[in-house]
Amino acid sequence: MASTQKEIVLSGIRSTGNLHLGNYYGALRKFAALQDDYDCNFFIADLHALTTAPDPAALHANVKNVLAEYLAAGIDPEKATIFIQSDIPEISEMYLLLNMHVGIGELMRTASFKDKARKALGLTAPDDDDDGDFAREVCGNETNKRVNAGLLTYPTLMAVDILIQKATKVPVGKDQLQHLELTRRFARRFNSFYGVDFFPEPTDFDFGGAPVKVPGLDGSGKMGKSEGNCLYLTDDPKVLRKKVMRATTDEGPKAPDSPMSEPVANLFTLLELTSTPEVVKHFRDAYADCSIRYGDLKKQLAEDILKVTTPIRERALDIMADDAYLRRVVAQGAEKARARAADTLREVRHIMGIRGI
């Protein structure tokens, strides 16, 4: 099948720090498996990262880190298009144009904006979350803190990332499903307003099978950079072992076949991802008969995780040291991504009546 006939898959990761074990099992490993069968486009979302006003030097370093880790985890620039979001200026122009068809109210009602805006302002969500009260909280003048407009229009930029490449399959986490639905809404609205059948409506790509949820080390939730509960793919072995040994547990089972607490169940989830079935069975049996020693479980878990991360870490360090190679990869990716983006933007401008004289 010619590459132009393959379904277009697109996904991006914000350049806000190193990639972690959750990124690997939840996305990167699956991305690598898609490259032969789909037109894959994977980008580093440095424009999205600006919503948190990062230090410029840190932003630049994080872009390079994520790029190297993409490659080290198995993304092949000869099979997939790998690019940096800001290298595609057409995205920024189309972001402006699409915002003309997006309502402030629908953006302010998104769950992620409410959560992040309240966090920025140091507010807690009330039991009865009223949209009007929320608008007054965010727009009120009783605080010197502010919520930037980029955070509000994040869903528009995400929609442009997808629509400008005409992507039809978009792997997203549960927290991004609302944004993907907005993307479909914006596509329908544009098509309807101008009487065209231009933008396809993208769908969530679940890779088949159940989604992988990688828990953090703090006893609850999922692994995430903002939660500070991560095992990074490039963690030094000593650092990684120390993190695992400090993972939250409990006092241990008091009776045979006791139910597991969430922190302990999380460790077994990590064990099932990284260890052999024999190792998992050994520790499950030990838990069931109350002979388990969490220290032994953690030591085994750390070594099995290192078997996964050490090859990635070593490749990433080698790649990071080769600036010429990294420049070639992003230049090649930008050329491919810009070609399609430029075609889309040119048609969008024409449809909207921006045609020159």
Side-chain angles (χ1 to χ4, degrees):
M1 182 184 292
S3 61
T4 55
Q5 295 176 309
K6 294 179 180 179
E7 284 195 90
I8 300 170
V9 174
L10 181 131
S11 184
I13 293 181
R14 293 174 68 221
S15 51
T16 53
N18 294 97
L19 303 182
H20 53 71
L21 204 65
N23 296 133
Y24 178 70
Y25 280 104
L28 294 174
R29 191 174 64 157
K30 296 176 180 179
F31 290 172
L34 298 175
Q35 298 175 105
D36 291 321
D37 299 319
Y38 294 89
D39 181 347
C40 290
N41 299 261
F42 304 123
F43 68 96
I44 300 160
D46 56 339
L47 296 178
H48 284 296
L50 292 173
T51 59
T52 55
D55 173 76
L59 176 65
H60 176 74
N62 285 336
V63 168
K64 185 177 179 181
N65 289 341
V66 173
L67 174 62
E69 290 162 21
Y70 259 152
L71 297 167
I75 306 300
D76 185 346
E78 299 305 318
K79 296 180 178 181
T81 301
I82 307 171
F83 63 96
I84 299 169
Q85 188 184 28
S86 61
D87 281 348
I88 316 301
E90 290 83 2
I91 290 174
S92 296
E93 182 175 346
M94 190 165 140
Y95 173 44
L96 168 68
L97 297 177
L98 189 61
N99 262 326
M100 303 306 172
H101 291 280
V102 175
I104 293 175
E106 62 189 338
L107 295 176
M108 291 191 71
R109 287 191 293 271
T110 60
S112 63
F113 175 67
K114 287 185 175 183
D115 290 343
K116 292 176 180 177
R118 286 196 172 104
K119 186 177 293 185
L121 297 173
L123 302 170
T124 56
D127 293 332
D128 183 16
D129 195 1
D130 180 81
D131 288 336
D133 289 342
F134 172 71
R136 285 188 288 273
E137 287 177 336
V138 172
C139 301
N141 57 8
E142 297 180 4
T143 176
N144 290 326
K145 298 179 181 179
R146 64 180 175 84
V147 178
N148 69 61
L151 188 61
L152 177 65
T153 58
Y154 179 103
T156 310
L157 183 55
M158 177 175 164
V160 169
D161 292 327
I162 297 165
L163 298 177
I164 204 166
Q165 296 295 333
K166 298 288 189 74
T168 55
K169 292 187 177 296
V170 183
V172 294
K174 186 177 179 181
D175 59 336
Q176 295 290 317
L177 284 174
Q178 187 180 24
H179 291 168
L180 185 59
E181 179 53 43
L182 283 173
T183 299
R184 288 194 286 268
R185 183 191 301 175
F186 299 160
R188 287 195 299 271
R189 183 178 298 161
F190 183 93
N191 290 345
S192 175
F193 185 88
Y194 292 107
V196 295
D197 183 18
F198 183 65
F199 286 126
E201 292 186 31
T203 58
D204 179 26
F205 193 14
D206 62 7
F207 306 101
V212 176
K213 180 181 179 181
V214 181
L217 300 174
D218 56 352
S220 64
K222 69 175 184 177
M223 191 170 288
K225 285 176 275 192
S226 60
E227 285 76 19
N229 61 6
C230 292
L231 293 169
Y232 292 106
L233 298 179
T234 53
D235 272 342
D236 177 90
K238 285 185 179 180
V239 171
L240 189 143
R241 290 188 183 102
K242 186 177 293 186
K243 286 182 177 181
V244 174
M245 294 307 293
R246 290 177 176 173
T248 303
T249 53
D250 57 24
E251 295 180 352
K254 303 300 183 183
D257 299 315
S258 298
M260 289 184 187
S261 64
E262 186 175 5
V264 174
N266 286 350
L267 291 182
F268 273 94
T269 296
L270 291 170
L271 199 70
E272 288 169 348
L273 286 172
T274 58
S275 306
T276 65
E278 293 76 18
V279 167
V280 176
K281 183 178 186 303
H282 167 77
F283 284 105
R284 284 199 174 278
D285 290 345
Y287 186 89
D289 66 17
C290 301
S291 65
I292 192 166
R293 293 161 58 104
Y294 289 146
D296 293 341
L297 168 63
K298 290 178 179 180
K299 288 177 183 176
Q300 180 70 53
L301 177 60
E303 296 311 309
D304 289 341
I305 291 172
L306 283 169
K307 289 178 184 176
V308 175
T309 61
T310 296
I312 297 173
R313 176 176 178 271
E314 291 175 349
R315 287 197 296 270
L317 291 174
D318 287 341
I319 292 168
M320 282 283 289
D322 192 345
D323 285 339
Y325 172 65
L326 290 172
R327 284 193 290 268
R328 286 198 302 273
V329 168
V330 295
Q332 175 179 304
E335 182 179 4
K336 292 165 67 177
R338 282 200 72 182
R340 186 150 50 203
D343 287 344
T344 302
L345 178 60
R346 184 166 48 251
E347 292 188 64
V348 165
R349 287 171 61 93
H350 183 82
I351 290 168
M352 294 181 70
I354 306 171
R355 305 171 187 171
I357 301 301

